[in-house]
């Protein structure tokens, strides 16, 4: 029997689903520090008839996990799904999960993890996020780095089973093991990212190096940096991000097992089409290739029209490289081809679809990239293997949001109750600059031409140039 902890249970919905839908569950602890939430949980547990399996707990989830570690009563599964960042719970979670146990972590603070606040990302996760085209996959790799870093403090390490970027959040499923020898390899699993601000090219720099030494491994510091002070393609500067997890995001055998379970029980889940589509794309991903480029990002850099995804994938396959999609972005290009090959392919595309170079500044990334002749002669003839299997079968790989304003709602107030929703706030603040509650007119602001002394209305100038009240 599995011992499950839902560390931030709120109404207890997920804990009740664990008890009713997952076979082999011995006990579920539903924890929340809100007395109102625990009262609701007790009511919901009784309504669903799972009193013998689900135990509501009032208190701080971190203290509960630390006590389970001290009492040597670890949980087999720990689910962390907070409103925002789970960073304050990670240290307790990696200690309280059993040997080989499952840790499920959700992050909804995507603004922080996708590069809008890199300094906040560092304070929470120990890594600097970058605002690049690959930001959603980098968010997954940042949370995996943070989990592994905290586990290493206790001679433990993580093994990812499945890592998902969906809608407005990222969610990872990892197993946690103990082993001093395996922990030594953790530095070689992390990498820094050098990202060009001009053309978007990126390079990875591993933090450590694992070398074969006899029958074992020897670990040392990595050598670098992998590039010069400026980008070799457009001569722009680089941004430095990370460290982040540089190993595979998923366990292919586990993903195939989940797809097999879906096939054996058709119709069990209402979201089965979406599950099948997303997992199929994940099974097709290149596991040993971190991050990705995007089709529109490559074409906009050289200011050309955009090739079809099949054309670009065919060109990479003709050149002898592997290519796949990423489930995190529907127009992604994940490939083991170096950046120089990608830009050669785009130079060949620009020759077939000419770019007006005379309109480009000499210092622009497009002008500098296209000023060099391609060393590779790219072929854009379509190949059958360029079309992924999930696309051929018409699976729902990148489903749209089911309704408007889809995403996390307003945060609960400290004293109870729910804050006004985003829609209510927008409605309340609509036209606030042109209308007043008392019906009085706002001050007539002068236009820009009035400040320059060129407005034809002279002293009668007003912001809207409409006749005001006498």
């Amino acid at each position: 029997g599995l011992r499950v902890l839902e560390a931030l249970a709120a109404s207890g919905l997920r804990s009740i689903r664990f008890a009713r839908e997952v076979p082999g569950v011995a006990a579920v602890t539903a924890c929340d520090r809100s007395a109102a939430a625990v009262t609701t949980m007790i009511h919901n547990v009784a309504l669903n008839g799972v009193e013998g399996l689900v135990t509501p707990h009032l208190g701080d989830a971190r203290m509960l996990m630390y006590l389970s570690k001290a009492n040597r009563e670890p949980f087999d599964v720990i689910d962390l799904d907070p409103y925002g960042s789970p960073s304050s719970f990670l240290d307790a979670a990696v200690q309280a999960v059993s040997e080989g146990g499952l840790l499920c972590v959700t992050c909804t603070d995507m603004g922080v993890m996708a590069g809008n606040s890199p300094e906040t990302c560092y304070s929470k996760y120990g890594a600097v996020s970058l605002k690049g085209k690959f930001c959603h996959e980098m968010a997954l790799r940042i949370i995996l780095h943070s989990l592994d870093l905290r586990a290493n403090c206790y001679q433990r390490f993580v093994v990812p089973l499945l890592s998902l970027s969906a809608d407005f959040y990222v969610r990872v499923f990892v197993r946690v093991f103990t082993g001093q020898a395996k922990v030594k390899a953790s530095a070689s699993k992390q990498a820094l990212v050098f990202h060009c601000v001009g053309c978007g090219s990126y390079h990875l720099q591993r933090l450590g190096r694992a070398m074969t030494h006899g029958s074992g491994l020897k670990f040392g510091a990595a050598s670098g940096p992998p590039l010069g002070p400026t980008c070799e393609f457009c001569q722009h500067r680089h941004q430095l991000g990370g460290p982040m997890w540089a190993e595979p995001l998923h366990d292919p055998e586990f993903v195939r097992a989940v797809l097999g379970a879906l096939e054996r029980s058709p119709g069990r889940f209402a979201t089965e089409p979406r599950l099948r589509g997303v997992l199929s794309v994940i099974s097709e991903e290149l596991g040993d290739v971190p991050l990705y480029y995007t089709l529109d990002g490559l074409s906009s850099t050289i200011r050309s029209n955009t090739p079809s995804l099949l054309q670009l994938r065919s060109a990479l396959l003709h050149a002898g490289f592997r290519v796949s999609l990423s489930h995190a972005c529907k127009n992604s290009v994940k490939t083991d081809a170096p950046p120089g090959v990608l830009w050669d392919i785009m130079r060949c595309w620009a020759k077939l679809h000419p770019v007006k170079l005379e309109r480009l500044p000499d210092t622009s990334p497009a002008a500098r990239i296209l000023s060099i002749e391609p060393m590779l002669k790219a072929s854009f003839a379509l190949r059958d293997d360029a079309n992924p299997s999930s696309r051929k079968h018409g699976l729902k790989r990148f489903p749209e949001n089911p309704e408007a304003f889809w995403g996390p709602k307003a945060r609960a107030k400290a004293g109870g109750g729910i804050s006004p929703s985003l829609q209510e706030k927008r409605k309340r603040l609509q036209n606030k600059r042109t209308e007043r509650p008392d019906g009085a007119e706002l001050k007539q602001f002068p236009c820009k031409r009035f400040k320059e002394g060129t407005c034809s209305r002279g002293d009668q100038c007003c912001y809207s140039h409409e006749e005001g009240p006498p």
Side-chain angles (χ1 to χ4, degrees):
L2 295 173
R3 297 184 68 246
V4 182
L5 168 64
E6 187 185 3
L8 303 110
S11 63
L13 169 63
R14 187 172 295 173
S15 296
I16 294 170
R17 292 195 63 190
F18 281 145
R20 292 182 62 92
E21 300 179 24
V22 181
V25 171
V28 182
T29 302
C31 178
D32 205 289
R33 69 176 183 179
S34 167
V38 174
T39 302
T40 304
M41 268 191 271
I42 295 172
H43 178 67
N44 290 337
V45 167
L47 282 177
N48 287 272
V50 289
E51 298 95 327
L53 290 177
V54 181
T55 303
H57 177 85
L58 176 62
D60 192 315
R62 291 165 293 188
M63 294 305 300
L64 177 61
M65 289 188 281
Y66 283 131
L67 284 173
S68 72
K69 164 67 175 176
N71 297 333
R72 298 184 178 181
E73 296 177 348
F75 294 96
D76 300 308
V77 180
I78 296 180
D79 193 327
L80 296 176
D81 191 355
Y83 190 103
S85 172
S87 58
S88 58
F89 304 97
L90 298 183
D91 181 77
V94 296
Q95 297 182 69
V97 69
S98 62
E99 180 68 14
L102 180 64
L103 186 56
C104 316
V105 183
T106 303
C107 307
T108 57
D109 55 336
M110 287 302 293
V112 170
M113 302 190 73
N116 287 338
S117 301
E119 69 286 350
T120 306
C121 186
Y122 180 81
S123 67
K124 291 182 177 181
Y125 302 102
V128 176
S129 57
L130 294 177
K131 199 170 184 179
K133 298 292 185 180
F134 48 70
C135 60
H136 289 106
E137 182 177 322
M138 189 171 183
L140 285 172
R141 297 183 179 277
I142 285 175
I143 184 60
L144 289 175
H145 159 76
S146 186
L147 282 169
D148 195 54
L149 184 63
R150 285 168 166 85
N152 291 165
C153 298
Y154 309 102
Q155 299 302 312
R156 311 193 85 182
F157 61 96
V158 302
V159 177
L161 293 180
L162 183 65
S163 307
L164 294 168
S165 172
D167 296 333
F168 52 87
Y169 63 91
V170 294
R171 183 164 173 83
V172 296
F173 301 85
V174 302
R175 296 183 71 185
V176 182
F177 297 92
T178 305
Q180 185 177 7
K182 294 290 184 70
V183 169
K184 291 181 179 179
S186 289
S188 60
K189 298 176 182 178
Q190 321 298 328
L192 297 171
V193 183
F194 293 86
H195 178 239
C196 175
V197 300
C199 64
S201 303
Y202 61 85
H203 300 266
L204 266 62
Q205 169 67 64
R206 297 272 181 159
L207 293 185
R209 182 174 55 171
M211 302 164 288
T212 304
H213 183 71
S215 59
L217 291 176
K218 183 179 179 181
F219 304 100
S223 58
L227 68 172
T230 58
C231 176
E232 60 178 307
F233 307 109
C234 67
Q235 285 77 55
H236 281 65
R237 62 182 177 87
H238 288 98
Q239 289 179 321
L240 182 61
M244 68 173 194
W245 181 264
E247 294 296 300
L249 295 173
H250 323 285
D251 181 353
E253 293 185 3
F254 178 77
V255 175
R256 285 194 292 267
V258 177
L259 280 171
L262 286 174
E263 293 175 1
R264 289 191 299 271
S265 55
R268 181 182 177 188
F269 303 104
T271 56
E272 181 180 341
R274 178 173 184 176
L275 288 171
R276 192 185 301 277
V278 174
L279 290 172
S280 297
V281 174
I282 287 175
S283 67
E284 297 167 351
E285 280 188 26
L286 295 177
D288 57 344
V289 179
L291 306 182
Y292 55 82
Y293 295 90
T294 61
L295 190 65
D296 55 333
L298 292 170
S299 57
S300 65
T301 298
I302 64 170
R303 298 295 188 266
S304 72
N305 59 350
T306 307
S308 71
L309 192 58
L310 291 183
Q311 287 176 315
L312 184 59
R313 288 169 62 97
S314 298
L316 287 166
L317 291 172
H318 281 301
F321 297 97
R322 296 177 298 152
V323 62
S324 76
L325 288 169
S326 170
H327 78 280
C329 181
K330 63 181 179 180
N331 61 343
S332 55
V333 180
K334 185 185 281 283
T335 178
D336 58 350
V341 172
L342 275 172
W343 292 125
D344 270 354
I345 291 175
M346 296 308 296
R347 291 184 186 108
C348 294
W349 177 259
K351 288 182 177 294
L352 298 175
H353 303 81
V355 178
K356 295 182 179 180
L357 295 175
E358 62 275 7
R359 295 186 178 182
L360 300 176
D362 295 337
T363 57
S364 66
R368 287 173 171 171
I369 290 174
L370 295 177
S371 64
I372 301 174
E373 286 296 317
M375 299 178 62
L376 171 73
K377 187 176 181 181
S379 170
F380 296 95
L382 297 184
R383 292 175 49 140
D384 185 63
D385 54 349
N387 195 10
S389 175
S390 58
R391 185 173 182 268
K392 289 179 181 178
H393 292 88
L395 300 180
K396 292 186 177 181
R397 304 173 300 161
F398 306 99
E400 299 292 334
N401 292 334
E403 58 186 14
F405 304 107
W406 179 257
K409 306 306 178 186
R411 183 188 292 269
K413 294 181 180 178
I418 303 297
S419 301
S421 67
L422 179 62
Q423 296 92 306
E424 294 173 352
K425 185 177 179 181
R426 285 177 174 174
K427 185 176 180 180
R428 186 178 73 251
L429 299 179
Q430 190 176 11
N431 298 325
K432 71 173 184 178
R433 297 185 183 278
T434 57
E435 297 179 0
R436 295 183 62 180
D438 55 2
E441 294 292 333
L442 290 174
K443 178 181 177 181
Q444 301 295 318
F445 296 98
C447 68
K448 294 181 180 179
R449 292 177 180 173
F450 177 82
K451 296 178 181 178
E452 298 171 355
T454 58
C455 182
S456 59
R457 297 184 65 88
D459 294 337
Q460 301 298 320
C461 172
C462 59
Y463 182 74
S464 61
H465 279 194
E466 296 177 356
E467 293 295 336

